[in-house]
Amino acid sequence: MTLLERFSPFVQWIRKLTGRAGAIVPVVRLEGVIAAGGRGNTINIARVEKVLARAFSFRHAPAVALLVNSPGGSPVQSKLIHDRIRALGEEKKKPVLVFCEDVAASGGYMIACAGDEIFCDPSSILGSIGVISASFGFTGAMDKLGVERRLRSAGDKKVLSDPFSEETEEQAARIERLMDRLHGHFIALVKKRRGDRLAEDEELFSGQIFTGDEAVDNGLADGIADVHTKLRERFGADVRARLMPVPKGGALSKLIGQGAASLMEELEARSVWSRYGL
């Protein structure tokens, strides 16, 4: 707990005396590809849970606001962040207002669903409620180079997606099963959180993406608004937004990040963003 939070009642009393009694609303920006571990501009539960806890600890805050700008990533990390936001909101009895910026797609939209209300810009991209799996096959290149693949496993289902071996029909079916299960989990979460606000539209869960105004029409979002306008509208003209930054990689991470692993990580992140033209 910060000194400001500890002495919050006293600070509020001073503000009343000085005519500055506006509410403080903590604002957490969740931006980047969602991935376990990672360096730089990625988000995961380990990186965000402390800042979320601080945001919800503001005793007199009337709400907590989240800025979401993410093309998605790990379904598990997305769900962990979603669940942590919901747990804190219910524990502290604070409404959660989510504001989608450029993109809240796939896992980014899953996190947005932690909000009691979701707002966006007309040109935001929302949705992509689906699951994707992508890999490469190098068997042709290996044949041309005269490279022999030697792969052994204990357990006849241990090999699932080996880019250096031919994919079998049985392996493809197993991947499809996993993806269908993950997709079902995602759909159930959206239906639970959005409820009867959702339109009767088969496209909602097809992996389709929608502009912000379309998302409002089909129930994926509640309205068109930016964070400052909505907070003033909801809590008064003297409300103040307190940005709570999520920590990024430190100096050691940046130093390590000069290697090939970091380059591959950056390329992978760019490929995820590029799905939405960003």
Side-chain angles (χ1 to χ4, degrees), residues 13-56:
W13 178 70
I14 292 295
R15 287 179 183 141
K16 289 181 181 180
L17 290 181
T18 59
R20 298 178 61 214
I24 294 177
V25 176
V27 179
V28 179
R29 179 181 293 279
L30 301 175
E31 181 173 33
V33 174
I34 305 163
R39 295 179 288 273
N41 195 28
T42 58
I43 54 177
N44 50 57
I45 187 62
R47 185 165 284 174
V48 306
E49 64 177 341
K50 287 185 179 180
V51 69
L52 288 173
R54 288 198 300 272
F56 280 93

Side-chain angles (χ1 to χ4, degrees), residues 23-24 58 78 83 91 97 122 126 134-135 137 166 173 178 184 202 213 223 249:
I24 294 177
F58 278 67
S78 303
D83 290 353
E91 176 189 345
L97 307 179
L126 282 75
S135 63
E166 293 285 351
L178 292 173
E202 294 181 359
D213 49 358

Side-chain angles (χ1 to χ4, degrees), residues 93-158:
K93 296 180 172 56
K94 292 188 186 295
V96 180
L97 307 179
V98 170
F99 298 87
C100 303
E101 295 188 329
D102 297 272
V103 177
S106 195
Y109 184 71
M110 182 183 289
I111 292 176
C113 283
D116 297 294
E117 295 178 81
I118 300 175
F119 301 97
C120 57
D121 184 87
S123 298
S124 299
I125 295 175
L126 282 75
S128 190
I129 301 170
V131 179
I132 187 171
S133 174
S135 63
F136 295 94
F138 296 103
T139 53
M142 292 171 64
D143 290 340
K144 290 181 179 180
L145 293 172
V147 178
E148 178 186 356
R149 175 65 163 161
R150 295 175 181 174
L151 177 65
R152 298 177 178 86
S153 66
D156 60 356
K157 291 183 171 59
K158 183 65 175 178

Side-chain angles (χ1 to χ4, degrees), residues 151-162 170-171 174:
L151 177 65
R152 298 177 178 86
S153 66
D156 60 356
K157 291 183 171 59
K158 183 65 175 178
V159 179
L160 182 60
S161 183
D162 175 31
E170 190 271 341
Q171 290 172 352
R174 286 162 58 202

